[in-house]
Amino acid sequence: GYVPRAKFHTLTEQMFYILLCLRNECYGMDILDRVPAMTNGRVNVGSGTLYNLLEQFLEEEMIRETKVEGRRRSYILTVKGQEMLEKEYQRIQMQAQDYLKFMGEEEA
């Protein structure tokens, strides 16, 4: 039968860095500054995208809310979120290895 594609089976770069930020508890707004800082300005997350993804991560129990102070909310990665991040890291590693393997053959 038809198996629906698992949500977050693979992560976009933005998702990856948002989750990476949340290894340590932090406020949503802080992520907007942290991601560009982590990536030397290569990756940016807009606030609309951020809040949309945070909502989805909460629904999927990849993160949980730790504090709510008025409109400021802070989050942290759950075990499930850590597993997703780890899986994505493994996938990126394999992708890089495949690249080296096949691009390296040109010279042989």
Side-chain angles (χ1 to χ4, degrees), residues 5-104:
R5 184 171 164 272
K7 199 174 193 184
F8 304 127
H9 177 64
T10 58
L11 303 176
T12 65
E13 247 184 342
Q14 289 178 327
M15 290 173 186
F16 182 81
Y17 286 107
I18 291 168
L19 292 174
L20 201 53
C21 277
L22 293 173
R23 279 211 26 84
N24 303 308
E25 180 185 358
C26 75
Y27 287 106
M29 288 305 288
D30 294 338
I31 297 171
L32 298 177
D33 300 324
R34 283 187 194 183
V35 172
M38 289 163 91
T39 61
N40 243 336
R42 191 174 54 80
V43 180
N44 275 294
V45 182
S47 58
T49 302
L50 174 69
Y51 287 109
N52 186 343
L53 288 173
L54 289 174
E55 275 306 304
Q56 292 182 49
F57 290 156
L58 282 169
E59 274 172 33
E60 295 289 318
E61 297 180 347
M62 291 161 64
I63 62 173
R64 63 181 174 83
E65 250 177 22
T66 48
K67 279 205 289 274
V68 180
E69 298 164 5
R71 293 193 58 186
R72 280 167 67 86
R73 291 163 190 273
S74 64
Y75 307 92
I76 197 161
L77 211 51
T78 61
V79 171
K80 184 177 176 185
Q82 284 174 16
E83 285 166 0
M84 295 290 302
L85 202 51
E86 174 66 24
K87 227 170 74 183
E88 185 63 17
Y89 172 69
Q90 302 291 349
R91 192 182 71 82
I92 295 168
Q93 292 279 89
M94 285 161 68
Q95 229 177 330
Q97 284 166 16
D98 292 342
Y99 175 88
L100 292 172
K101 191 164 64 190
F102 289 100
M103 292 307 280

